[in-house]
Amino acid sequence: MSDSAVQHALNVKRRHEAELLRKANVVAVGVGFRTRGGQPTTEVCIVVSVRVKQPPSKLKRSDLLPAVIEGVPVDVVETGAIRAL
């Protein structure tokens, strides 16, 4: 992981965050490390948190999340609802 990879991911996230948050089921957008098989990796990605992970066939086309945005991988993580106290 390099500082430039993190900075690039942060810049891409800032440009696309509002668009991603408008999609059904999305509760948060951040930058972090991809998780594969339940284990964190060192791959920097945009982390999109959703209430419930659903198969693409259950989503409207407009609510599908991209696998990559401007060269940065997207990792979809089920978190449930997020509420402020």
Side-chain angles (χ1 to χ4, degrees):
M1 171 200 64
S2 70
D3 288 341
S4 64
V6 172
Q7 191 58 53
H8 176 63
L10 286 168
N11 290 335
V12 171
K13 177 224 166 218
R14 284 185 200 109
R15 285 193 292 274
H16 294 273
E17 184 172 20
E19 172 190 347
L20 292 168
L21 286 170
R22 283 193 295 270
K23 295 185 181 289
N25 205 24
V26 174
V27 295
V29 179
V31 169
F33 296 110
R34 180 185 290 273
T35 301
R36 288 193 188 262
Q39 298 298 315
T41 69
T42 59
E43 183 180 15
V44 176
C45 67
I46 295 172
V47 179
V48 178
S49 299
V50 297
R51 284 181 197 87
V52 178
K53 273 184 112 167
Q54 298 182 3
S57 62
K58 297 276 186 177
L59 298 170
K60 292 180 186 175
R61 184 179 188 97
S62 61
D63 290 324
L64 293 173
L65 293 166
V68 177
I69 301 173
E70 294 185 40
V72 180
V74 174
D75 193 15
V76 180
V77 177
E78 183 175 316
T79 59
I82 295 176
R83 289 181 264 179
L85 298 176

